Amino acid sequence: MTTDIQDARKKLQQAMNIAPAISCGIEELLGRSANGMTFVAGRKLGKQMTASAKKTTDVEEALAETRRVLEEHHCLWHFEPFIPSTQKEMVKQTEKGAEIMLVFRDCMIRQSLFRYGHHQKGSLCFMMYGFFSGALENIMGKKTELQIVHTGENACLKKLIIGS
Amino acid sequence: MVEILIKKEACRGCQICAEICPTDVLEYNAAEQKVFVKNAADCIACLSCTYICPSSAISQQDFHNVKNFYRDLEFSVKAKRYL
Ligand code: SF4
Ligand code: SF4
C-alpha cells in the first residue's frame, strides 16, 4: 500500500522524467526553433497564472507579486535579485531599459534536467524565460526579457530587462 | 556570505574555474600559477567552479543547497515530517 506522500512523489518523479524527455525530443526534431516554441508556451502560462495578479510598475513589487503567484500555485522557483559589487543599485538603467540580475536557486526545471540527464539552457529553460516574460508583462504592462547568463549546478544567473 | 576555499596544493592552475565563473570571483595568479578568490562577495553559489575543477580543489561553505526531488520513495515517507 502506498501513502499519499509516496503517490505525490511518484507523480512528481514521472513529471520530472516526461518534461525533459519531451524537451529533448522537440530539440532533436526542431533544432533551435524548439526554444521559440517553449518560450511561447511559457509566456502563455505566465500570462494565465498572473491574470488576476496585482498590477504595478515598481520592479521590486512586480517581482514580489510574481513570487506570490508562484507560491500560490505551489511552484518552487526560488529567485532573488543579485547586485554585483561594482553596482550600487539593484536596477541598472541602460538604453535597452531597466536591467536587474536575478539568481535562481531552487528550480524544478534544473532538477528535472539533471534527473533526466539533459543539458541546461535548452527548451525547458526557455519555457521558464517565457513564463517570467509573460508574468511580468502582465503585472507591469511592459515588454520584458529574461536572458540566461549562466546555468550552474546549484544556481543560475539571469538578466531581466524591462523595456522603457 | 558564501565562503570559498581553494586548496592551493591541489590547484594545477588550469583556470577553468575562473573562466566558468559568471561573476568574476576567481582570478589567476601567474607568478604562483594558482587561482585565488578575488571577490567572494559576488559569489552566487552556483557551484560550477567546484563541479568543474579537475583537482577537486574548490569547496564552499555557508550557502543555500538546492532541494532536489528525486529521492527514493521510502525516503520520502521518512522525510515527510520535515516537508
Ligand atoms: S579549476 Fe581547480 S585546478 Fe583549475 S585553476 Fe581552478 S582551482 Fe585550480
Ligand atoms: S560558485 Fe559560481 S559564482 Fe561562486 S566562485 Fe564558483 S563559479 Fe563563481
Side-chain angles (χ1 to χ4, degrees):
Chain A
M1 211 179 82
T2 57
T3 63
D4 290 351
I5 187 89
Q6 277 177 320
D7 280 342
R9 285 278 178 175
K10 217 175 204 167
K11 281 184 194 136
L12 175 67
Q13 296 192 7
Q14 279 161 355
M16 287 176 77
N17 269 332
I18 290 167
I22 295 172
S23 165
C24 183
I26 62 166
E27 280 167 26
E28 240 177 76
L29 210 67
L30 303 176
R32 282 178 67 86
S33 17
N35 292 352
M37 193 179 126
T38 50
F39 172 84
V40 173
R43 192 162 174 270
K44 198 171 166 199
L45 184 69
K47 287 202 175 241
Q48 274 170 1
M49 266 202 201
T50 54
S52 53
K54 198 177 113 196
K55 310 278 184 250
T56 174
T57 49
D58 181 277
V59 184
E60 283 184 59
E61 270 182 34
L63 290 173
E65 185 61 3
T66 310
R67 191 176 289 118
R68 190 198 61 74
V69 170
L70 285 169
E71 276 168 19
E72 194 180 86
H73 288 84
H74 308 289
C75 291
L76 187 67
W77 260 334
H78 175 159
F79 64 93
E80 63 201 25
F82 166 69
I83 309 173
S85 50
T86 49
Q87 210 174 293
K88 281 201 181 72
E89 309 287 330
M90 184 179 98
V91 182
K92 189 174 150 191
Q93 293 296 340
T94 69
E95 52 187 36
K96 278 184 160 181
E99 283 186 9
I100 301 125
M101 301 304 287
L102 295 175
V103 175
F104 284 77
R105 300 204 184 279
D106 294 302
C107 172
M108 48 197 174
I109 285 179
R110 189 187 314 117
Q111 297 306 328
S112 302
L113 291 170
F114 287 174
R115 180 181 168 84
Y116 187 77
H118 193 51
H119 63 86
Q120 291 165 282
K121 278 192 191 164
S123 55
L124 267 191
C125 293
F126 268 77
M127 197 191 79
M128 182 215 210
Y129 163 17
F131 174 87
F132 277 84
S133 298
L136 289 161
E137 252 173 68
N138 239 3
I139 295 172
M140 300 189 77
K142 290 178 178 179
K143 272 249 170 291
T144 60
E145 242 186 79
L146 187 75
Q147 291 175 358
I148 306 168
V149 178
H150 178 76
T151 49
E153 273 76 4
N154 196 59
C156 298
L157 184 65
K158 317 238 161 130
K159 188 193 277 177
L160 175 70
I161 307 168
I162 301 159
S164 16
Chain B
M1 194 175 83
V2 187
E3 199 186 332
I4 310 160
L5 308 161
I6 302 182
K7 275 191 239 146
K8 258 190 162 187
E9 61 285 7
C11 175
R12 59 177 88 173
C14 67
Q15 304 176 57
I16 194 168
C17 55
E19 247 174 67
I20 204 165
C21 176
T23 50
D24 295 330
V25 171
L26 308 166
E27 199 166 87
Y28 181 63
N29 179 328
E32 281 192 13
Q33 297 194 342
K34 308 271 177 199
V35 149
F36 69 99
V37 180
K38 182 183 67 174
N39 183 17
D42 278 356
C43 177
I44 60 164
C46 66
L47 301 194
S48 295
C49 57
T50 304
Y51 275 85
I52 211 163
C53 174
S55 308
S56 303
I58 310 176
S59 59
Q60 275 86 358
Q61 269 173 18
D62 296 328
F63 64 94
H64 173 86
N65 214 337
V66 299
K67 291 170 189 67
N68 62 54
F69 316 106
Y70 36 91
R71 298 210 191 284
D72 179 290
L73 287 178
E74 300 279 324
F75 179 92
S76 301
V77 178
K78 292 197 175 88
K80 187 180 179 182
R81 70 189 112 144
Y82 303 113
L83 296 177

